[in-house]
Amino acid sequence: MAGRWDSTTGGDGFRFFSPEQVDQILREGSKQGRSGSHAAIERILRHELGLERAELWRRIRQLKNPSPGPRYHRAVWSPEDDKLLHEGYKRGWSGKRAAIRELLRRHPNWQSHVVRRRAAKLGLTGRSSQQGKQQGRRPWSQEDDEILLNLAGYKLAKAIGKILHRTERAVRYRLAVLGKSSRVHKEGYARRALAEELHLGSRTVQRLIVEGLLEVRDPRITKHSLDDLCRSLQLPGAPGDSSRDMEVRASERQAAAEVSEDGDPLEGGGGGNGARTMSSRSSRAKLLWAEVAKTLDISVETVKKYIAQGVLKLLDPRITEKSLRSFCRRYGSLINLEFLNQETRDWLRGSMDFVPSAGEAVAKPLEASRKHARVVRRCQGCGRAIRGNVFFRHIKRCRGKAAADMGRTNPAGHATAVCG
């Protein structure tokens, strides 16, 4: 590890590895692909606290593509060169090309882009010199890489580009060079994953969203699903009306007056003050859906039914963490702890403020329908242990059971195997 690598680390000595050992670890890890490079970097960072992740990624690129010589030669412009460039650009396109050829003949180590950059700096091109500086290439500094790696995965490439004063394309390319993805990890919980984790039906989770007990990130209805509903049912709504326009109208109505809503069907009229209080996101959802119902000339309950059935789709149906925490604190009795593993129980109690006895009046009508879920049956075909009445729907489609039945009906030695 030579001078530049030593200067990158501030000249401080390594505590555990020598510079040559760090190079060897990074070189061997890079030969095993991205996973090997990640493992090598993690191994070094455990022992060398003074190093940064961006520095190690930069060192891997240097080891993969060693520079044969100096990367950049500074072009020294003389007054004669500037005069020749001025005269060439005054004569138009032909004079410009002649001046560039002459300058490249005088300076063999120059390239054409060096001459064009000089012309832009002198104000000879159509764009101003300030605009040329903004659009010109700027090398990525160590500080830029650190900001980029810290924001990657949390902000869009366009937003990172505004922070770093770079284009979205430049940010995506730099992330690809650093071995990172520009994809943003969305906050919140997916409906299907949350239903499996809490042992709730997917329809139950959708119904809780419709009734306002769980809130989503963006409750607007997609224009595509709205147009499909209008075409299939021949509703009087205008397919060209977007959900964004409905949101603007709903916001105006919310600012003008409060919307009167009926009580939650799940509560049965026995909810407390906390249950009656609607958050801004829940109020926004109710206003948006009321605006859709008004546009389609149908009732709000019909719109909710279409959303619960999946006919009308929400723009971003991921459930917010704040909403899930509020649900566990106010309606914890809707979650049956008997069906959850120990890890999920610890997560609910430690992070979600889970109160098992909260909202018992809401969960009491569901007690009769929960009895079947306490029975666990095992399928004779595939051996799976299945809870509740869904077992009877499973055995009708179980391929393992179908294979066993065919083996019993066929003659011995001629059983037909069914792949599953």
Side-chain angles (χ1 to χ4, degrees), residues 345-392:
R345 296 179 186 179
D346 296 340
W347 168 62
L348 291 176
R349 290 168 176 165
S351 302
M352 293 291 113
D353 301 336
F354 180 70
V355 181
S357 60
E360 292 182 350
V362 180
K364 189 173 182 180
L366 303 177
E367 187 63 28
S369 60
R370 282 182 171 181
K371 290 183 178 180
H372 71 91
R374 296 190 177 96
V375 181
V376 180
R377 301 177 180 88
R378 185 173 298 277
C379 178
Q380 298 297 330
C382 62
R384 288 178 52 189
I386 303 175
R387 184 185 299 275
N389 292 339
V390 71
F391 168 80
F392 301 103

Side-chain angles (χ1 to χ4, degrees), residues 288-318:
L288 288 171
W289 299 343
E291 191 68 31
V292 171
K294 181 180 178 181
T295 303
L296 300 180
D297 196 17
I298 58 179
S299 65
V300 179
E301 295 302 324
T302 305
V303 172
K304 290 183 178 181
K305 183 184 70 173
Y306 286 140
I307 296 175
Q309 294 174 354
V311 177
L312 292 177
K313 302 183 182 300
L314 303 180
L315 197 63
D316 190 351
R318 297 180 68 87

Side-chain angles (χ1 to χ4, degrees), residues 18 20 32 88 101 131 169 174 185 198 213 236 247 257 261 267 274 283 312 326 338 341 367 391:
S18 65
E20 291 75 14
Q32 301 175 7
R101 283 197 300 267
Q131 185 180 3
R169 184 177 180 181
R174 188 60 178 176
H185 304 287
L198 301 181
L213 301 185
E247 181 189 19
E261 297 288 341
E267 296 180 11
S283 302
L312 292 177
S326 176
E338 298 179 4
N341 54 35
E367 187 63 28
F391 168 80

Side-chain angles (χ1 to χ4, degrees), residues 72-89 96 98-107 109-122 124:
Y72 176 74
H73 296 277
R74 184 178 181 84
V76 180
W77 286 78
S78 64
E80 293 78 9
D81 296 333
D82 288 339
K83 182 179 179 180
L84 177 62
L85 194 62
H86 274 280
E87 293 176 353
Y89 270 79
K96 169 186 171 181
I100 292 176
R101 283 197 300 267
E102 178 62 22
L103 288 171
L104 294 180
R105 187 188 63 79
R106 293 184 182 182
H107 306 279
N109 59 337
W110 285 11
Q111 295 183 4
S112 60
H113 68 84
V114 176
V115 181
R116 294 190 182 94
R117 189 183 302 130
R118 180 65 176 180
K121 185 176 181 180
L122 295 176
L124 303 179

Side-chain angles (χ1 to χ4, degrees), residues 187-202:
E187 299 178 358
Y189 304 94
R191 293 171 298 177
R192 184 179 298 274
L194 185 63
E196 293 178 356
E197 189 73 22
L198 301 181
H199 282 266
L200 297 174
S202 57

